[in-house]
Amino acid sequence: MKISYNWLKQFIKTDWNPEQISELLTDLGLEVEGLNAYQSVKGGLEGIVVGEVLTCVQHPNADRLKVTTVSIGTDAPLQIVCGAPNVAAGQKVPVATIGTTLYTAEGEAWTIKKGKIRGEESHGMICAEDELGLGKGHDGIMVLDSKIKVGSRAADIFNIENDQVFEIGLTPNRSDAMSHYGVARDLRAGFTQKEINTELITPSVSAFQVENRALRIDVDVINKNLAPRYCGLTISNIKVTDSPAWLQNRLKAIGLTPKNNIVDATNYVLHELGQPLHAFDANKITGNKIEVKTLPQGTKFITLDGVERELHEEDLMICNAEKPMCIAGVFGGIDSGVTENTTSIFLESAYFNPVSVRKTAKRHNLNTDASFRFERGIDPNITEYALKRAAILITEIAGGLVSSEIIDFYPNKFEDFQVRLSFDNAKKLIGEEIPKDIIKRILMSLDIRINNVTETGLGLTVPAYRNDVQREADIIEEVLRVYGYNNIKTTEKLNASISNTGKFEDYKLQNIIGNQLVSQGFYETLTNSLTSPDYVPLHADLKAEHNVEMLNPLSIDLSVLRQSMLFSGLESLRHNLNRRREDLKLFEFGKTYHSYTDSREEFKHLSILITGDRYENRWNTESKPSDFFYLKGTIETIFARLGITKLKASPVKSAVFSEGMMLSFGKTKLVEFGLVKKSILKHFDISKPVLFADFNWDDVIETAKYNRVSYSAISKYPEIRRDFALLIDHSVSFESIHTIAKQSEKHLLKSINLFDVYQGSNLPAGKKSYAVSFTFQDANKTLTDKQIDKIMSKLQASFENQLGAELR
């Protein structure tokens, strides 16, 4: 949500600068995520001064150019070459001096430099409207009032507005603060707590009056539960045109594009008071009647964006006597809005059921400023006041007369909330006793009325617009946020309970492996379980019918729960790669979700994603890309840390991997890993190779329970190493050599290592060479060459008989 500093000061007078206001708002719970400068004209006309054209003669080398001398109040006039057809001596004109930066309509900057144009020197530029950002005209230069003093700053003449805009990360419960007035209310409470007395200025509606009753439009609210309050009036004899500059600047500052004076006025009141309004062209209201009702399922309706939509039977609609005109609280229709030909309007101000608006907005994938507020719950008692405020503003900037009494359908008034506050409960929840007089002062500054006071607590009335404050705990939270979380002292004593849990608890093993991966240079991620259904076709092993779909999705891209950890991980990779973070090692503990005919299931996973180099590039280390075997080594260290041994490795054919492997314990598949297919990476605009591992974490935990980490004392007797260079078939894997060696010598053989692989010339077709080292050790004595030779002969025979190997 964007809040203008200049606009905010219309409601609360303060000399605090924007940075101080930002800090206070954040302390109050309205977190300021950013503070951005706004200028009504980009660049603020810096470097633009008023000049007087002293002479104007034809350029000697160009028919369409003039050579002028222009005084800008300095010692000597400037010679400027100008191509405008209307330039003439005696004019007062805006001049961009050397070094001035101007901006195109697209926002691109360019700088005025000294130069020669067709052989004549030019020391600046005489500007047109569009070149300064003051309009769209480019037929000629701007000619200013002759009374303006030469050398005056253009920024002072055109009243350039400079503003600061707060970007507030508003939490969904704070519907009361979704406006400049609402934010000002919170600021007043903050100032009061700091003992700064300041008045909250409410826009006056005393000037509102009904000029005539010539244009009556009846209102019939049929679905009273969906529209508990509905107000409206008519205004005739209006003229639709551009809004005045001050109004346009207010809207532009908060990121809105001005449309016309009627629409801009409704948007202004929306962001001023938090009450959405809608203006209908009165001439398009057939039968001079408004009906607020739902329509049959499947009714066709074209919205303002030109999209034809099928209505749901629960969508509340604003209709005339013949057809729908607007989706209530969400979006207007294409045939009923205000145009340049509109002369009379029906102005609507209403309170719609928040749940109804939220469901309708999500059903049609529409998110507007109006729906954003209605679905969170606006103030039901500000409806008529906001209508009067808007009517006054419209008649001021568009002319016209209020031509009907206010229609106010409000059969059941919203009551304020009655809450009892116990001082003891406040002390218990806050952890510190706040003086009673401070609590009372804070509550009154928040418009919470104190009905009665006792030794033990307070009887309170909370205004209806604070729909998030209905319980004692809510009151205590309000007191605490205004008092200041930072003002609560931290206790020196820490109490803790010792939990009686087993060593194989999920969170314990997760912390062990997480810490291990972090120590190896990995970063942990946490991605959204909600994802796009468009990812399912990328993975042939997934099926759309197994998607767990959201009933009320935020968007189509977040409409299902994920069936695979891969795609959310690739989104994280893409985000980082697009920001030039190219060497990435990420891991995530998360769940996948699946819907079956008679059940829904979720499974815990550990996923690992790697791309780029293994380590940061340094002067004393060689850059080495991460590869399949680096990932395999990382996986093996995880299983080694959990004490899971005797794993079986086998190739895996997967819809995800171009080449992959699976590790199993018995018949239980624990992990699949490999190189992600390029076709999948292309969908995410990733051109670098990506390695992915997917652990079935639930199975890993179960397997870890039946395995123990073993250890033995370090032997005092030396190790002995011997090597073989084996000529073997291409199809033979190192895993086969490892298994056979372990079976042949179970006691003395401590480790086996593949330290060289050769494939190429000087070898028979279909063959490769493995250089393998074998390390032997006896815990009780020193081994002799005779013993080692005997074991090596045994190994050689086993490799020859079982693998057809030859020694090189």
Side-chain angles (χ1 to χ4, degrees):
M1 181 182 70
K2 294 183 178 180
I3 295 294
S4 157
Y5 175 65
N6 290 346
W7 198 344
L8 192 63
K9 290 199 295 182
Q10 291 181 203
F11 302 101
I12 189 164
K13 300 300 181 184
T14 177
D15 57 359
W16 279 32
N17 62 43
E19 288 75 17
Q20 292 173 302
I21 296 289
S22 296
E23 186 175 343
L24 179 56
L25 287 175
T26 300
D27 289 343
L28 289 167
L30 303 181
E31 184 181 1
V32 177
E33 298 175 339
L35 185 62
N36 303 305
Y38 167 78
Q39 292 178 314
S40 56
V41 174
K42 191 167 184 178
L45 299 183
E46 287 296 323
I48 311 296
V49 296
V50 176
E52 181 178 6
V53 181
L54 302 178
T55 65
C56 179
V57 298
Q58 183 67 44
H59 192 293
N61 303 316
D63 293 339
R64 297 186 179 181
L65 299 178
K66 303 283 177 56
V67 179
T68 67
T69 55
V70 182
S71 172
I72 60 170
T74 55
D75 294 339
L78 305 177
Q79 177 172 298
I80 299 176
V81 177
C82 180
N86 64 328
V87 63
Q91 293 174 334
K92 296 286 181 68
V93 293
V95 177
T97 56
I98 299 296
T100 298
T101 299
L102 299 179
Y103 297 86
T104 66
E106 294 74 27
E108 296 179 2
W110 58 289
T111 303
I112 302 297
K113 299 178 181 179
K114 176 183 175 181
K116 283 188 176 183
I117 301 177
R118 294 291 184 91
E120 295 293 324
E121 287 190 358
S122 184
H123 298 266
M125 185 175 81
I126 305 174
C127 303
E129 274 187 3
D130 63 335
E131 291 165 337
L132 297 178
L134 295 172
K136 298 179 181 179
H138 194 72
D139 295 337
I141 59 169
M142 290 186 71
V143 179
L144 305 177
D145 191 327
S146 60
K147 297 179 182 177
I148 300 175
K149 183 180 178 181
V150 171
S152 301
R153 294 173 65 248
D156 298 331
I157 297 170
F158 293 102
N159 295 319
I160 302 304
E161 179 161 351
N162 293 292
D163 200 355
Q164 293 287 327
V165 180
F166 305 100
E167 188 75 43
I168 297 178
L170 195 66
T171 53
N173 62 311
R174 292 301 309 276
S175 59
D176 64 293
M178 293 187 295
S179 64
H180 286 75
Y181 182 68
V183 172
R185 265 193 311 234
D186 255 26
L187 271 181
R188 178 190 60 178
F191 284 139
T192 301
Q193 173 58 21
K194 293 181 179 296
E195 299 184 353
I196 300 173
N197 294 321
T198 184
E199 181 186 359
L200 184 64
I201 302 169
T202 305
S204 173
V205 294
S206 60
F208 176 83
Q209 62 178 340
V210 179
E211 277 89 0
N212 61 57
R213 293 166 180 78
L215 182 56
R216 176 181 175 82
I217 293 180
D218 295 323
V219 174
D220 184 9
V221 180
I222 298 172
N223 291 85
K224 299 177 177 59
N225 292 332
L226 302 185
R229 188 173 191 186
Y230 192 91
C231 297
L233 56 77
T234 62
I235 303 176
S236 60
N237 298 328
I238 62 170
K239 183 179 181 181
V240 179
T241 184
D242 290 338
S243 298
W246 69 266
L247 177 51
Q248 292 194 38
N249 285 336
R250 286 284 179 263
L251 298 181
K252 287 177 181 178
I254 59 173
L256 296 183
T257 303
K259 303 294 183 183
N260 57 57
N261 49 4
I262 305 301
V263 174
D264 292 349
T266 59
N267 281 333
Y268 182 86
V269 174
L270 164 68
H271 290 276
E272 178 185 54
L273 302 176
Q275 171 66 55
L277 302 111
H278 192 77
F280 298 91
D281 188 327
N283 293 327
K284 297 176 182 177
I285 302 177
T286 308
N288 280 0
K289 184 177 183 181
I290 293 283
E291 294 182 350
V292 184
K293 61 183 180 180
T294 56
L295 296 173
Q297 176 81 31
T299 301
K300 299 288 194 296
F301 179 66
I302 301 177
T303 46
L304 272 172
D305 54 4
V307 176
E308 183 179 75
R309 305 177 188 274
E310 284 194 9
L311 300 179
H312 188 274
E313 59 184 4
E314 294 180 358
D315 292 338
L316 185 66
M317 304 297 296
I318 311 300
C319 309
N320 58 33
E322 296 180 354
K323 60 182 181 180
M325 299 186 297
C326 176
I327 303 177
V330 181
F331 211 34
I334 198 168
D335 294 327
S336 60
V338 173
T339 68
E340 59 184 9
N341 298 319
T342 299
T343 57
S344 300
I345 61 169
F346 175 80
L347 188 60
E348 167 196 278
S349 178
Y351 177 91
F352 297 118
N353 182 284
V355 175
S356 172
V357 173
R358 183 163 57 248
K359 287 183 176 180
T360 295
K362 300 310 177 193
R363 263 194 295 266
H364 297 290
N365 196 26
L366 291 170
N367 183 24
T368 62
D369 284 339
S371 68
F372 178 81
R373 287 159 176 78
F374 277 128
E375 64 190 29
R376 286 162 174 76
I378 62 171
D379 182 1
N381 295 321
I382 203 176
T383 311
E384 183 182 7
Y385 169 74
L387 184 67
K388 291 179 178 179
R389 169 71 173 145
I392 293 171
L393 182 58
I394 288 173
T395 54
E396 286 178 354
I397 64 176
L401 304 170
V402 178
S403 299
S404 73
E405 296 288 350
I406 293 178
I407 298 169
D408 188 3
F409 173 84
Y410 195 16
N412 301 308
K413 190 177 188 306
F414 281 80
E415 299 296 334
D416 294 337
F417 308 110
Q418 304 299 317
V419 184
R420 176 77 185 172
L421 172 65
S422 164
F423 292 131
D424 287 341
N425 288 341
K427 179 181 177 182
K428 186 185 299 182
L429 280 180
I430 293 172
E432 183 178 309
E433 185 173 7
I434 297 177
K436 295 176 183 178
D437 59 331
I438 292 181
I439 290 178
K440 295 176 189 175
R441 185 179 68 197
I442 289 173
L443 293 174
M444 288 187 292
S445 71
L446 292 169
D447 293 337
I448 297 175
R449 191 167 67 250
I450 300 174
N451 300 324
N452 56 75
V453 182
T454 67
E455 285 297 319
T456 59
L458 304 173
L460 305 170
T461 298
V462 181
Y465 68 79
R466 289 306 306 270
N467 55 32
D468 61 321
V469 183
Q470 302 184 28
R471 306 169 302 162
E472 182 183 46
D474 300 329
I475 293 290
I476 296 171
E477 181 184 5
E478 288 298 293
V479 171
L480 182 54
R481 75 178 180 86
V482 176
Y483 181 74
Y485 290 96
N486 295 334
N487 294 325
I488 303 299
K489 297 176 183 177
T490 303
T491 59
E492 297 180 358
K493 182 180 178 182
L494 178 65
N495 297 321
S497 299
I498 299 174
S499 61
N500 183 19
T501 58
K503 63 180 179 179
F504 292 105
E505 293 290 333
D506 180 10
Y507 75 93
K508 289 187 176 181
L509 296 184
Q510 185 172 315
N511 287 340
I512 289 171
I513 300 306
N515 289 334
Q516 177 172 313
L517 288 170
V518 168
S519 70
Q520 294 175 354
F522 283 78
Y523 288 90
E524 184 171 10
T525 63
L526 181 62
T527 59
N528 201 337
S529 297
L530 293 171
T531 188
S532 169
D534 294 339
Y535 291 152
V536 171
L538 300 177
H539 194 322
D541 296 337
L542 305 181
K543 291 182 172 57
E545 56 264 30
H546 293 163
N547 279 334
V548 178
E549 298 181 351
M550 302 298 293
L551 292 176
N552 193 19
L554 293 171
S555 69
I556 189 65
D557 291 333
L558 298 172
S559 61
V560 299
L561 290 169
R562 64 187 173 197
Q563 291 190 55
S564 170
M565 298 287 291
L566 174 62
F567 304 117
S568 53
L570 289 176
E571 288 178 340
S572 294
L573 279 187
R574 177 178 61 191
H575 181 85
N576 283 276
L577 288 170
N578 288 342
R579 286 155 182 79
R580 302 183 67 83
R581 296 296 301 271
E582 298 181 346
D583 303 323
L584 299 166
K585 296 190 290 186
L586 309 177
F587 73 95
E588 178 180 9
F589 290 95
K591 291 184 178 181
T592 60
Y593 308 84
H594 311 266
S595 177
Y596 301 110
T597 305
D598 54 354
S599 66
R600 288 181 177 175
E601 296 185 20
E602 59 184 57
F603 304 100
K604 186 75 173 284
H605 291 259
L606 163 62
S607 67
I608 294 176
L609 280 160
I610 302 174
T611 189
D613 292 339
R614 298 185 190 185
Y615 311 110
E616 184 178 351
N617 191 16
R618 298 180 184 275
W619 70 271
N620 59 347
T621 56
E622 184 180 352
S623 177
K624 192 171 185 179
S626 303
D627 57 16
F628 179 88
F629 297 102
Y630 175 69
L631 175 60
K632 184 173 183 286
T634 301
I635 292 169
E636 288 173 345
T637 61
I638 291 174
F639 286 125
R641 182 65 182 83
L642 296 174
I644 300 175
T645 58
K646 299 179 182 179
L647 293 171
K648 178 184 178 182
S650 57
V652 61
K653 291 184 178 180
S654 169
V656 171
F657 303 120
S658 56
E659 53 180 291
M661 183 176 286
M662 176 175 68
L663 295 181
S664 305
F665 182 82
K667 295 183 178 180
T668 304
K669 180 179 71 175
L670 298 183
V671 62
E672 288 184 351
F673 60 96
L675 196 64
V676 180
K677 287 183 176 179
K678 290 183 179 180
S679 58
I680 295 177
L681 299 180
K682 185 178 180 181
H683 186 84
F684 291 85
D685 295 325
I686 297 175
S687 57
K688 298 166 66 76
V690 174
L691 295 158
F692 174 63
D694 185 17
F695 290 79
N696 298 319
W697 189 248
D698 295 321
D699 294 327
V700 170
I701 292 174
E702 287 299 314
T703 305
K705 292 179 181 179
Y706 300 102
N707 288 271
R708 297 292 183 266
V709 176
S710 60
Y711 69 94
S712 59
I714 297 175
S715 175
K716 62 181 179 180
Y717 298 101
E719 295 179 343
I720 296 176
R721 169 177 160 168
R722 293 288 178 85
D723 299 341
F724 270 161
L726 298 173
L727 186 65
I728 55 177
D729 291 337
H730 270 301
S731 60
V732 176
S733 66
F734 173 68
E735 183 73 20
S736 302
I737 296 173
H738 189 281
T739 302
I740 292 171
K742 281 292 187 181
Q743 291 173 347
S744 299
E745 178 52 56
K746 298 180 179 178
H747 302 293
L748 301 179
L749 181 57
K750 297 303 180 183
S751 64
I752 309 161
N753 180 47
L754 176 65
F755 64 88
D756 187 44
V757 177
Y758 176 72
Q759 300 178 74
S761 60
N762 301 324
L763 291 183
K767 297 289 185 177
K768 61 184 176 182
S769 174
Y770 272 5
V772 185
S773 67
F774 303 90
T775 303
F776 304 96
Q777 187 180 44
D778 192 322
N780 301 312
K781 61 182 180 180
T782 301
L783 293 171
T784 64
D785 287 341
K786 186 176 180 180
Q787 288 175 295
I788 300 301
D789 291 341
K790 183 179 179 180
I791 295 172
M792 294 299 290
S793 297
K794 184 180 177 182
L795 290 175
Q796 179 182 346
S798 298
F799 295 147
E800 290 174 348
N801 294 333
Q802 297 184 46
L803 301 177
E806 300 176 30
L807 288 183
R808 292 187 66 199

